[in-house]
Amino acid sequence: MQKKKGLSWKGIAAALTALFLLPGCFSDGSGEPSAEEPEEGVSSGLKSGEAENANTLRIGIVTGEANDRYYRETYTDIYEYMHPELEIEIVPAIDTTRYRYMDPDSEQVRTRVPLEELQKLTEGSESVDVLILDSEMLRSAVEKDWTEPLATYMEKTGESEEAFAPAVINGLKDLGGGELYALAPDYASSALYYNVDWFERNNVKPPEDGMTWDEVFALARAAGGEDEEGKAAYGLSFTPTLAEDPLWAIRAYTEPLGLSTFDLESEEMTVNTPQWLELWTTLADMTKQGAIPLALRSETDPEQYDPFGGDLFLGEKVAMTLADSRYASDLQTAARNAERINGFDPFEWKTVTVPVHPGKEDIGSGVRLGDTFSIVSSSTHKDEAWEFIRFITGERVQEMELHDPYRMPSRLDAIALDAEKNGYRSEAFTKLRPAEPIAEREDRAIQNNPQLWQIGDTGRRLFQRVLEGEIPARQALEQWENEGRRWLKGPFTEEGTLAFGPWPSQWQTLLAALNSKIS
């Protein structure tokens, strides 16, 4: 699980202050705030008489340190402060402190399988009570029956699935085979931003929710052309700024469609297909027509300052772009400082759902669940575990904006507040469920075998040549398939040359005899 920067103690203090100021929080009836009593409606889960025997809540993570500072500051410190009768223990499946001074390529380190180590946390009398997992690990934990369905707990305490974004609940249910085994306090999502003024000037109908990629591509062709100064103006960009890797940029299209580049099990490439051919051909045509800037490379003019840092949408060089919810804040900031930006006139912008594929109308791009929280099936403190999860994903905490700044809160009420503050339509970010994380799985495969990066690098170079009109898409995909297969078959040395394995024993004996005579 990849760590992100957690809250500082200063942030924790501010959050606690906010909690104290909320009506009814820590009230003992005298009007004075008290940390000795839990918030009304949020108990620690401990029954009277059980405090001495069940006063520790153990939370399992995949990798990290015992009582990992990130997880404590992000999730547990506030809850533990509110419940002084409860002690929280962070337990990593793989304690990274044990390997800090070891060779990462050593056998002892490489043979540690996260899923196998995680299983140990769910067994025996020392089982953890809560698991904090990423999406892929949660899927595996559910398949192995390590986690508990949440429906009974939610019904008991009056929690409703409808209070959360459909993107979150549907995504979590996909991981649980149709049943809800976890909740997530935050998630990332993307939408299609468009320049309202641009479409009005060009008498083009603006985009709407639920449009297909073909429909948005048609809009991009209609909206593209030249601006008032005769400079190129594009209809659609897959990213607000020019992507260094155009192959990475089009993941917004390929991932919801389920397109992969290679299959490790069969050691075969999966790119020489009609779907890849149609996509590359279409994007090459749109590049030639000036509808998308995918072939452009970022260039910096030292003589001319760009206040937007290459942002095509803010610079009004593109009519539509795909971006996450945080981008709305950037647009608001630019508008507030318009008088300080030379030549910039604020424009009206709106958001709609990202384009979808026919037959996959409920799957979006850029939708990623944050950390998921689940109850361990073997836990002896399931009620306490649920109360902790209920608090972390609760409305009051989410409205305090303690979530990762690059993500959205998972509850609809909290999202509505964030949307109102930053000027976007919440529905554009909440409707579509996550796609299968094919690209992320391939990225992990490359991390485990860095030599596989050659596959992506080869594809990027070939795709760039297709966009620039140097070679046809079919030829490029065939070449990518052939070169990629070479890297999949391997193995290779660290220098990138073919390694043919150990010499036969008779050759090794002969070489040893020759070396002894030479020496």
Side-chain angles (χ1 to χ4, degrees):
M1 183 182 299
Q2 185 178 6
K3 293 184 182 180
K4 294 177 175 61
K5 185 176 179 182
L7 297 172
S8 65
W9 277 108
K10 187 177 180 180
I12 293 292
L16 288 169
T17 301
L19 276 172
F20 287 138
L21 294 176
L22 289 170
C25 192
F26 311 126
S27 175
D28 60 2
S30 63
E32 295 296 325
S34 171
E36 297 301 319
E37 296 183 8
E39 175 190 350
E40 181 179 353
V42 182
S43 71
S44 67
L46 297 175
K47 301 182 179 70
S48 59
E50 289 185 350
E52 293 183 2
N53 299 323
N55 65 341
T56 300
L57 186 69
R58 305 183 78 232
I59 298 177
I61 60 176
V62 180
T63 60
E65 302 179 4
N67 287 316
D68 194 285
R69 194 72 256 153
Y70 162 75
Y71 291 98
R72 293 204 64 86
E73 292 185 356
T74 306
Y75 300 123
T76 68
D77 279 346
I78 294 179
Y79 189 76
E80 198 169 27
Y81 186 88
M82 292 175 63
H83 299 283
E85 80 285 1
L86 184 68
E87 180 181 347
I88 293 180
E89 182 181 351
I90 306 295
V91 186
I94 299 178
D95 190 339
T96 53
T97 60
R98 298 181 181 180
Y99 307 101
R100 180 175 298 171
Y101 307 106
M102 298 177 64
D103 181 354
D105 294 324
S106 66
E107 187 72 12
Q108 188 173 359
V109 174
R110 288 190 296 106
T111 54
R112 300 299 292 273
V113 179
L115 198 60
E116 294 178 1
E117 299 299 320
L118 185 65
Q119 181 177 3
K120 299 174 184 177
L121 297 187
T122 66
E123 298 174 334
S125 59
E126 294 299 315
S127 167
V128 297
D129 306 301
V130 176
L131 286 177
I132 303 179
L133 305 173
D134 64 19
S135 297
E136 290 290 89
M137 292 298 282
L138 174 63
R139 187 197 304 272
S140 298
V142 170
E143 291 174 351
K144 295 180 179 297
D145 296 324
W146 297 343
T147 56
E148 188 95 351
L150 297 183
T152 302
Y153 297 91
M154 295 183 72
E155 182 179 358
K156 186 189 303 183
T157 55
E159 298 294 335
S160 171
E161 293 180 5
E162 286 69 31
F164 294 84
V168 175
I169 294 299
N170 291 333
L172 289 168
K173 285 187 173 182
D174 287 343
L175 299 173
E179 195 168 1
L180 191 64
Y181 281 84
L183 289 178
D186 56 26
Y187 74 112
S189 185
S190 295
L192 182 67
Y193 289 74
Y194 69 93
N195 185 325
V196 176
D197 300 341
W198 184 309
F199 281 89
E200 289 180 353
R201 286 196 305 266
N202 291 277
N203 295 317
V204 177
K205 184 180 179 180
E208 301 173 347
D209 284 346
M211 296 188 78
T212 66
W213 278 99
D214 286 343
E215 290 171 333
V216 171
F217 284 167
L219 283 182
R221 293 185 182 96
E226 294 182 348
D227 61 16
E228 297 175 353
E229 299 178 358
K231 297 180 180 180
Y234 303 94
L236 171 70
S237 176
F238 287 91
T239 53
T241 57
L242 290 174
E244 293 294 330
D245 181 357
L247 195 60
W248 174 86
I250 64 172
R251 283 183 174 184
Y253 182 102
T254 61
E255 195 160 2
L257 193 57
L259 296 185
S260 60
T261 58
F262 59 82
D263 181 356
L264 279 181
E265 290 187 8
S266 63
E267 294 186 344
E268 287 294 339
M269 294 290 292
T270 57
V271 295
N272 192 12
T273 65
Q275 287 178 313
W276 275 105
L277 177 61
E278 180 182 1
L279 174 60
W280 279 25
T281 301
T282 299
L283 295 179
D285 290 342
M286 293 180 68
T287 298
K288 187 176 181 180
Q289 296 162 359
I292 57 176
L294 204 54
L296 292 183
R297 301 275 58 83
S298 180
E299 296 180 359
T300 302
D301 184 355
E303 303 297 325
Q304 187 174 1
Y305 172 69
D306 180 3
F308 304 125
D311 190 311
L312 300 175
F313 189 74
L314 264 175
E316 293 196 83
K317 297 176 182 178
V318 65
M320 299 178 287
T321 190
L322 299 172
D324 59 22
S325 59
R326 183 178 173 83
Y327 186 61
S329 176
D330 295 339
L331 297 177
Q332 295 273 56
T333 300
R336 287 196 301 268
N337 290 277
E339 61 184 22
R340 300 179 180 87
I341 305 174
N342 186 33
F344 175 64
D345 293 322
F347 55 86
E348 183 182 0
W349 55 270
K350 291 183 178 180
T351 53
V352 296
T353 57
V354 295
V356 295
H357 295 286
K360 300 178 182 290
E361 290 86 356
D362 61 340
I363 299 178
S365 59
V367 186
R368 299 284 186 273
L369 297 174
D371 288 335
T372 68
F373 291 70
S374 55
I375 300 173
V376 177
S377 300
S378 57
S379 168
T380 56
H381 309 312
K382 293 178 182 178
D383 288 338
E384 297 96 299
W386 167 243
E387 289 299 337
F388 171 71
I389 294 173
R390 183 181 171 217
F391 173 80
I392 291 299
T393 59
E395 184 175 345
R396 180 166 288 179
V397 170
Q398 294 206 358
E399 288 179 356
M400 290 164 57
E401 299 184 358
L402 299 182
H403 57 83
D404 187 302
Y406 291 94
R407 295 178 183 156
M408 305 171 64
S410 58
R411 284 183 173 265
L412 289 173
D413 287 346
I415 295 173
L417 292 176
D418 189 70
E420 182 179 1
K421 182 177 70 174
N422 291 308
Y424 64 81
R425 283 180 58 248
S426 60
E427 295 83 1
F429 294 89
T430 59
K431 291 182 177 181
L432 302 179
R433 67 199 327 137
E436 284 287 320
I438 294 174
E440 291 182 13
R441 292 169 186 166
E442 292 182 349
D443 289 342
R444 276 196 294 272
I446 293 172
Q447 290 176 2
N448 294 331
N449 182 4
Q451 294 171 134
L452 295 180
W453 77 269
Q454 296 280 1
I455 294 176
D457 186 61
T458 299
R460 177 188 59 77
R461 288 185 284 104
L462 289 169
F463 186 39
Q464 186 69 37
R465 293 181 64 189
V466 170
L467 294 174
E468 294 174 355
E470 293 183 11
I471 56 175
R474 185 181 299 276
Q475 177 185 337
L477 289 170
E478 290 175 353
Q479 185 175 340
W480 191 12
E481 179 183 49
N482 293 331
E483 293 191 24
R485 184 182 293 126
R486 170 178 172 266
W487 289 105
L488 280 172
K489 297 297 182 181
F492 295 88
T493 66
E494 292 182 358
E495 290 75 26
T497 57
L498 279 169
F500 295 99
W503 290 83
S505 57
Q506 63 269 30
W507 283 88
Q508 293 184 28
T509 303
L510 177 60
L511 286 172
L514 289 173
N515 287 332
S516 64
K517 290 184 178 181
I518 293 173
S519 58

